[in-house]
Amino acid sequence: MAILSIFLWGCLLLPLSVVLQSGYSLFRNYIVARRIGLRFRVIPISHLNHFWMLVDRKVLHYVRKYFGECAFTRYNWMGWELPDRYFSHHELGDVFMLVTPGRNWLYLGHPDIVMDVVRRRDDFPRCVELTQVLDVFGPNVGSVEGQRWVTQRKLMASCFNEQYNETVWSESISQANDMIQYWTSRPSIRSIANDLRTLSLDVLCKAGFGKSFKFEGYDETPHINPSASYKDSLQLILEHCILIIAMGPKFFTDALWLPRKYREIGQAVTAFQKFMTDMYESEKNKVSQGITGTSSSRTFLSSLAKASLDAKQGEGLTEREVYGNIFVINFAGHDTSSHVFTFAVYFLAANPAVQDWLSEELRHVLGNRPPQEWGYTNFPRLKRCLAVLYETIRLYTPVPVTKWTKDKTQTLNIGDKTLVLPPNTMMCLAYSCLQTDPRWWGSDSLAWRPSRFINSTASELESPTPEGEASIEDEEFLQPRRGTFVGWSEGARDCPGRKFSQVEFVATIASLFRDWRVDPLIFKGETIETARERVLDLIKTDSAMVLLQQMLHPEKAPLVWSRR
């Protein structure tokens, strides 16, 4: 009986102690926020509470239903920035703070302040505590700092060269043409997102490891054998990335009692590690024998391994760092690209005038030449395709950027006021505000309009004219003001794969929209106009942050492809 009483008291006191500790931390952070002198809002649960991240939307749905809107329901869930856009900053100022039991979060909504922060890299480093979860196979450029970051970034940058981009260009065109043949062979397609993930993965396999795979549509794909190939093992890892990050790879490789589905994840992790090890050892042997190979035949792994092995003592990467960077490039290049692709295709399906605008440029630049004759030199001429990428990322940036003050007190100028920020203050570049604020983007800042990135009268969505076609070559791509667009981050720690993603996107969009057009499947009782409105509403209401920003259920809006 005494043991039962102790157990019951323990069950009561444990959650009570957690609540008391959380309440004390919240009060302490509230006092700190008052001293800083900014406007702020208080939320009772930390952003980084893993359990809360699993249930936040479900719980807040009922809180909102019975108690109405408040700071708790507005800010205390992952991804609240997307629907909020710039409204909180217009209400609370260019900079405001959220007080939580964990840390205080400073949201920066003015481009000048953002650029000040990213230029002071040593004062406001990236918070690697948030990115170290990606150390699945080893440390990588996103999860280290100091001299190790300098070394890794330098070697990574040397691998993203023009020869590498040429491979990305040709493979993207090849994969996209196979994909469009699959799509047009069916009355309608619900697997747009899945197929775009496959395309992105196949491009990464070719560019990263020199492995070519023929595109297979979602309905054609057999059951994945996690040990059969590099692609199968990587695909299974990326599909269950959240689980692997949360539990760690050893959980799946060492626990033989797990159900078959989870044992297969462990087999994929083991197989992928072996594929990387074998290829890395092969590259080491080539370097020791003085075999360099041609630049056109080099892959990301071989380039990274060679650059590291050729570096001076202490200036190269360890074997685990090579594997860590290979994984993070695959993760970032696969998931972010496929989600952006999905948003773009659905936006285009709802905007036929933009499709015509794209086709006009593609016909002008590529003519009637078959895809295999589209050289990489055409990439910089396809400005409208690039504008579609920028406009899609502007509204739906996959990954937010966070900084912090780490263990030091820092100052930050906000107008004529100097803030004193204590250690452990988190800082978020408010991407959803920066990229939609009417002050920088105009009165239609919430509308998807790619032509805002093109400086030319020919960019207007009107019927093509001979004069308009002639002036396409004279169009200029408008780079956004620094600090108003953080889709690939900003400053020294911007994304090293920016050009990779741009080349892959432009090549794919060119392959899809020169000769084809896409429309929503019309449901019973709909017109084509109401079907397009339904697609736009799905993008707006069914997109959220999971690990990245994404459409949750794109299969709810099947699409129909037809020849122009």
Side-chain angles (χ1 to χ4, degrees):
M1 193 68 179
I3 294 176
L4 179 61
S5 297
I6 292 172
F7 175 76
L8 292 174
W9 273 107
C11 291
L12 177 65
L13 292 175
L14 182 61
L16 181 62
S17 65
V18 171
V19 170
L20 290 174
Q21 175 63 34
S22 179
Y24 169 75
S25 299
L26 184 65
F27 177 73
R28 181 190 59 201
N29 289 342
Y30 167 79
I31 297 299
V32 170
R34 285 184 61 98
R35 289 174 183 159
I36 292 174
L38 284 174
R39 298 186 70 180
F40 61 86
R41 294 289 183 264
V42 179
I43 54 177
I45 304 174
S46 171
H47 280 109
L48 303 181
N49 183 310
H50 292 173
F51 175 74
W52 177 247
M53 290 164 67
L54 295 174
V55 302
D56 54 6
R57 291 188 188 90
K58 297 182 180 68
V59 172
L60 292 178
H61 169 75
Y62 292 102
V63 174
R64 195 176 287 113
K65 180 179 179 180
Y66 293 108
F67 299 99
E69 192 72 73
C70 60
F72 179 40
T73 57
R74 184 175 181 180
Y75 300 114
N76 214 158
W77 53 285
M78 189 169 68
W80 65 266
E81 301 95 333
L82 182 61
D84 191 83
R85 296 299 187 184
Y86 56 83
F87 300 115
S88 284
H89 281 278
H90 281 204
E91 175 188 337
L92 300 174
D94 288 332
V95 178
F96 71 90
M97 181 168 279
L98 289 183
V99 178
T100 82
R103 292 171 177 153
N104 287 340
W105 289 70
L106 198 66
Y107 286 83
L108 312 176
H110 193 285
D112 294 342
I113 301 171
V114 165
M115 292 310 300
D116 182 29
V117 167
V118 298
R119 286 175 183 134
R120 295 166 59 187
R121 179 164 55 92
D122 295 334
D123 294 340
F124 303 111
R126 178 168 290 190
C127 185
V128 295
E129 287 184 12
L130 303 181
T131 54
Q132 282 174 345
V133 294
L134 295 176
D135 287 354
V136 176
F137 292 96
N140 57 77
V141 71
S143 65
V144 296
E145 53 187 345
Q147 188 56 44
R148 289 315 301 161
W149 175 82
V150 173
T151 298
Q152 292 198 27
R153 173 66 190 219
K154 180 181 177 181
L155 293 175
M156 290 276 284
S158 70
C159 299
F160 285 105
N161 52 47
E162 287 302 285
Q163 289 84 6
Y164 186 65
N165 290 331
E166 287 185 31
T167 301
V168 174
W169 172 265
S170 59
E171 187 65 18
S172 298
I173 290 173
S174 174
Q175 292 290 326
N177 277 279
D178 288 345
M179 183 173 67
I180 195 64
Q181 294 305 316
Y182 168 74
W183 283 350
T184 54
S185 68
R186 284 156 170 73
S188 64
I189 296 292
R190 292 181 181 271
S191 60
I192 295 289
N194 298 91
D195 294 335
L196 288 167
R197 284 175 66 87
T198 298
L199 177 144
S200 181
L201 180 62
D202 287 351
V203 172
L204 281 166
C205 287
K206 177 64 174 178
F209 288 87
K211 306 291 186 182
S212 293
F213 296 92
K214 182 172 175 55
F215 176 85
E216 291 181 326
Y218 184 71
D219 295 333
E220 302 173 327
T221 306
H223 175 71
I224 293 175
N225 181 347
S227 303
S229 71
Y230 157 76
K231 177 187 172 181
D232 283 354
S233 61
L234 178 59
Q235 183 173 345
L236 201 62
I237 288 169
L238 293 175
E239 285 178 355
H240 298 89
C241 198
I242 295 177
L243 270 177
I244 296 173
I245 287 172
M247 306 302 296
K250 287 188 176 180
F251 175 81
F252 298 97
T253 57
D254 296 347
L256 301 179
W257 49 268
L258 289 172
R260 177 184 174 185
K261 174 183 176 181
Y262 299 110
R263 291 201 307 273
E264 286 185 344
I265 297 175
Q267 292 168 20
V269 169
T270 302
F272 184 65
Q273 180 72 64
K274 185 177 186 306
F275 287 130
M276 288 197 297
T277 301
D278 290 347
M279 285 184 273
Y280 181 70
E281 290 299 322
S282 173
E283 189 60 31
K284 282 203 299 185
N285 290 335
K286 290 179 183 178
V287 172
S288 65
Q289 296 170 22
I291 303 172
T292 59
T294 62
S295 59
S296 61
S297 66
R298 302 198 69 82
T299 65
F300 184 82
L301 174 62
S302 62
S303 296
L304 186 62
K306 185 177 186 307
S308 183
L309 293 166
D310 286 348
K312 296 178 182 179
Q313 183 68 29
E315 295 182 5
L317 303 185
T318 66
E319 191 168 327
R320 287 194 70 242
E321 287 175 331
V322 170
Y323 300 151
N325 280 292
I326 288 294
F327 171 74
V328 82
I329 287 298
N330 277 287
F331 168 74
H334 178 255
D335 274 26
T336 56
S337 293
S338 60
H339 292 324
V340 171
F341 271 133
T342 302
F343 278 117
V345 168
Y346 276 89
F347 268 124
L348 285 162
N351 290 273
V354 181
Q355 295 185 52
D356 295 338
W357 181 67
L358 280 181
S359 182
E360 180 188 11
E361 176 185 69
L362 292 167
R363 283 289 172 187
H364 175 80
V365 174
L366 303 174
N368 294 318
R369 286 177 289 154
Q372 57 269 26
E373 295 181 9
W374 300 353
Y376 176 59
T377 54
N378 290 298
F379 166 69
R381 299 175 65 194
L382 298 176
K383 305 176 188 74
R384 294 181 182 181
C385 294
L386 187 62
V388 170
L389 172 62
Y390 269 72
E391 181 69 347
T392 303
I393 292 178
R394 184 181 73 84
L395 292 178
Y396 290 93
T397 294
V399 186
V401 180
T402 56
K403 305 278 188 178
W404 68 331
T405 56
K406 203 176 178 182
D407 55 356
K408 296 179 181 178
T409 298
Q410 301 290 352
T411 59
L412 183 64
N413 293 327
I414 308 295
D416 57 358
K417 186 176 183 179
T418 299
L419 303 182
V420 178
L421 305 176
N424 292 314
T425 299
M426 300 297 297
M427 310 175 77
C428 186
L429 312 190
Y431 65 95
S432 197
C433 167
L434 293 164
Q435 295 174 182
T436 61
D437 196 318
R439 289 180 293 176
W440 330 121
W441 297 99
S443 58
D444 67 342
S445 62
L446 296 180
W448 186 79
R449 182 172 63 82
S451 60
R452 74 175 75 246
F453 287 95
I454 300 296
N455 182 21
S456 172
T457 55
S459 68
E460 296 300 323
L461 300 182
E462 300 172 349
S463 299
T465 64
E467 293 79 8
E469 291 180 7
S471 62
I472 288 177
E473 290 291 346
D474 298 326
E475 290 180 349
E476 295 180 358
F477 185 85
L478 295 174
Q479 289 292 344
R481 172 183 171 182
R482 297 290 301 275
T484 64
F485 187 93
V486 292
W488 288 280
S489 189
E490 269 283 10
R493 291 199 75 140
D494 66 345
C495 175
R498 177 198 294 248
K499 186 71 173 288
F500 176 110
S501 63
Q502 293 175 354
V503 171
E504 180 187 24
F505 185 92
V506 169
T508 301
I509 291 297
S511 303
L512 297 181
F513 288 97
R514 186 190 69 167
D515 300 323
W516 305 92
R517 65 180 308 110
V518 63
D519 293 293
L521 180 66
I522 300 174
F523 292 165
K524 186 177 179 180
E526 283 187 331
T527 64
I528 186 61
E529 288 76 18
T530 54
R532 289 169 181 151
E533 291 172 3
R534 172 172 49 81
V535 168
L536 290 175
D537 185 66
L538 182 71
I539 295 172
K540 182 177 180 181
T541 61
D542 197 49
S543 299
M545 182 75 72
V546 181
L547 192 58
L548 305 171
Q549 201 78 250
Q550 64 188 78
M551 288 183 69
L552 299 177
H553 302 100
E555 70 280 358
K556 290 182 178 179
L559 301 182
V560 178
W561 291 83
S562 58
R563 185 172 287 278
R564 286 190 162 274

